[in-house]
Amino acid sequence: MVGIDLARGLAVFGMYAAHVGPDPADGGPLGFVMELARGRSSALFALLAGFTLVLITGRPHPRTGRAGRQAVVRMVIRSLVLIVLGLALTSLDTDVDVILAFYGLTFLAVLPLHRLRVRTLALLAAVGALVMPQLLHVTRLSIEDGDWADTVVAADPLARISDTDGFMELLFTGEYPVLTWMPFMLAGMAVARLDLTGNTVRARLVCTGGASALLGYGGSWLALRLVPHARSTVAAATDGDSAASAWWSDTVGYVVEDTPTAWLLVGAPHSQTTFSILGNTGVALLVLVLCVTGMDRLPRCARLATPVCAVGMTALTAYVLHILAVREFGMEEETGPALVDLLVYTSVALLIATAWTRRFRRGPLEQLLHVSTLPARHVK
């Protein structure tokens, strides 16, 4: 589990890099590293969220009877709290696309599947990666071409309460739509059913992760070059400089008007396509195995990684505090050199998390989240 904490800590720092770090468009080795963090860190966080769901509901075997019902209620409460907390952070009107509300609803979407076996979960994750982006694309086209979404939003109580597009945004139009983020959690749930101490299991995960990354990014690279006019169509529809990097990088920009069908060939981390889900899942699996193996086989490195593991243990607190800091101080070059900002955010998180976990088992917000689930004990 220490390796899982390390991976979660790296995911937190990846999101720090995406929000306050240098702009990848600056180029060079630093720009390349910053671009690697974008989208892939949140995908790793989502995969680990699926792992956490299985931990709570029973690993390696699902809890049954009263214990199983209590675990499900705990997950429902956690999900609702994350949705409320995410919407509250969104209301601060920062430039960060807060992911917590999307995570909360995705938890609820995959929770009914928590009893499934490894192969079934892996199959559903693969099918979701193949089908959900196409369904999302068709839905978004329907939203762009009609006014039915406005009617739904007007009738949505969550939209009125939160001053957002409510469930329409969480499911379809937001930065992390539930439809295309379910596969990450399903993949994490499948991994959680495995015995990660076994070398054979780790080797298979490395092969699976490598194949998924190659199929995702490599497949996008090939498709954008083989399909006539694909790159020019993508370039014309987005606000980026070029579509040459659309197979792996967000520097391609975002769609500014009608979404062309050629967009489905893009592999950029936030593109919500099959290629992006496969690529991001592959990277997440490789990072996860690397962290688990490193903490197991390299004791000296494990000791050095302790502060990062501490951030992983307090990931929710670290994430929320950095949103509040962004609200106060701004993003990237607004308050100073972006690299300095990133180093400050990272250093402060390491210091606070290390000091806190020496005395407490959970982070402050993690403890509050735990306390909020205590009523589940009364479930018969």
Side-chain angles (χ1 to χ4, degrees):
M1 291 302 99
V2 180
I4 301 299
D5 288 332
L6 175 59
R8 191 178 288 112
L10 293 176
V12 170
F13 289 147
M15 287 188 276
Y16 283 13
H19 298 157
V20 300
D23 190 339
D26 294 342
L30 182 59
F32 175 75
V33 173
M34 293 299 103
E35 185 57 42
L36 283 179
R38 301 209 169 197
R40 281 164 275 265
S41 55
S42 50
L44 173 60
F45 207 71
L47 186 140
L48 294 171
F51 197 103
T52 300
L53 187 153
V54 170
L55 283 179
I56 292 173
T57 57
R59 177 179 186 262
H61 304 294
R63 294 187 177 92
T64 57
R66 182 185 179 189
R69 292 189 292 274
Q70 289 177 342
V72 169
V73 173
R74 282 200 297 272
M75 277 307 310
V76 170
I77 295 173
R78 289 171 66 94
S79 301
L80 295 176
V81 171
L82 287 177
I83 292 173
V84 172
L85 180 57
L87 293 175
L89 292 174
T90 299
S91 69
L92 297 179
D93 199 26
T94 66
D95 291 332
V96 177
D97 294 306
V98 180
I99 201 169
L100 294 182
F102 297 92
Y103 274 179
L105 189 56
T106 307
F107 269 134
L108 291 177
V110 301
L111 182 57
L113 308 175
H114 77 278
R115 294 182 179 277
L116 299 180
R117 297 180 179 181
V118 175
R119 291 184 179 180
T120 307
L121 288 168
L123 179 61
L124 286 176
V127 171
L130 295 174
V131 174
M132 291 301 190
Q134 281 51 252
L135 179 59
L136 179 65
H137 178 70
V138 171
T139 303
R140 284 184 168 180
L141 287 180
S142 176
I143 292 173
E144 292 172 1
D145 295 338
D147 56 4
W148 65 270
D150 295 332
T151 304
V152 172
V153 170
D156 184 356
L158 181 63
R160 291 195 295 271
I161 294 172
S162 62
D163 196 27
T164 66
D165 284 344
F167 287 105
M168 184 64 63
E169 181 175 332
L170 296 177
L171 289 169
F172 306 118
T173 62
E175 189 68 21
Y176 306 100
V178 170
L179 282 189
T180 49
W181 283 77
M182 286 175 60
F184 296 120
M185 281 200 186
L186 289 170
M189 291 166 67
V191 172
R193 292 269 181 251
L194 301 173
D195 178 11
L196 296 180
T197 62
N199 291 331
T200 302
V201 170
R202 293 177 185 175
R204 288 176 178 173
L205 282 177
V206 168
C207 293
T208 301
S212 182
L214 181 62
L215 186 60
Y217 300 130
S220 175
W221 183 88
L222 242 142
L224 287 169
R225 281 155 179 78
L226 294 180
V227 175
H229 312 298
R231 280 195 293 177
S232 59
T233 301
V234 169
T238 58
D239 56 1
D241 295 331
S242 168
S245 62
W247 60 278
W248 80 282
S249 169
D250 276 336
T251 54
V252 64
Y254 295 89
V255 176
V256 292
E257 294 182 358
D258 294 338
T259 305
T261 303
W263 183 255
L264 294 174
L265 306 178
V266 168
H270 286 105
S271 58
Q272 317 302 339
T273 67
T274 291
F275 288 121
S276 71
I277 295 174
L278 292 175
N280 290 352
T281 300
V283 171
L285 289 175
L286 292 173
V287 171
L288 176 61
V289 175
L290 179 63
C291 290
V292 171
T293 304
M295 298 301 285
D296 181 35
R297 299 291 183 85
L298 303 171
R300 184 173 298 178
C301 292
R303 288 193 294 272
L304 293 175
T306 298
V308 183
C309 295
V311 174
M313 293 172 63
T314 59
L316 178 61
T317 300
Y319 180 85
V320 171
L321 288 180
H322 108 278
I323 298 293
L324 297 177
V326 167
R327 173 69 176 81
E328 183 66 24
F329 302 112
M331 292 173 62
E332 295 180 344
E333 301 289 349
E334 296 174 18
T335 57
L339 183 57
V340 173
D341 288 349
L342 177 58
L343 292 175
V344 169
Y345 275 68
T346 303
S347 300
V348 170
L350 288 170
L351 290 171
I352 294 177
T354 301
W356 185 274
T357 53
R358 284 181 177 176
R359 297 194 60 183
F360 304 100
R361 179 184 175 188
R362 300 182 180 91
L365 290 181
E366 284 76 8
Q367 180 63 28
L368 289 175
L369 190 61
H370 170 71
V371 170
S372 72
T373 65
L374 292 182
R377 294 179 178 179
H378 302 295
V379 173
K380 301 298 183 180

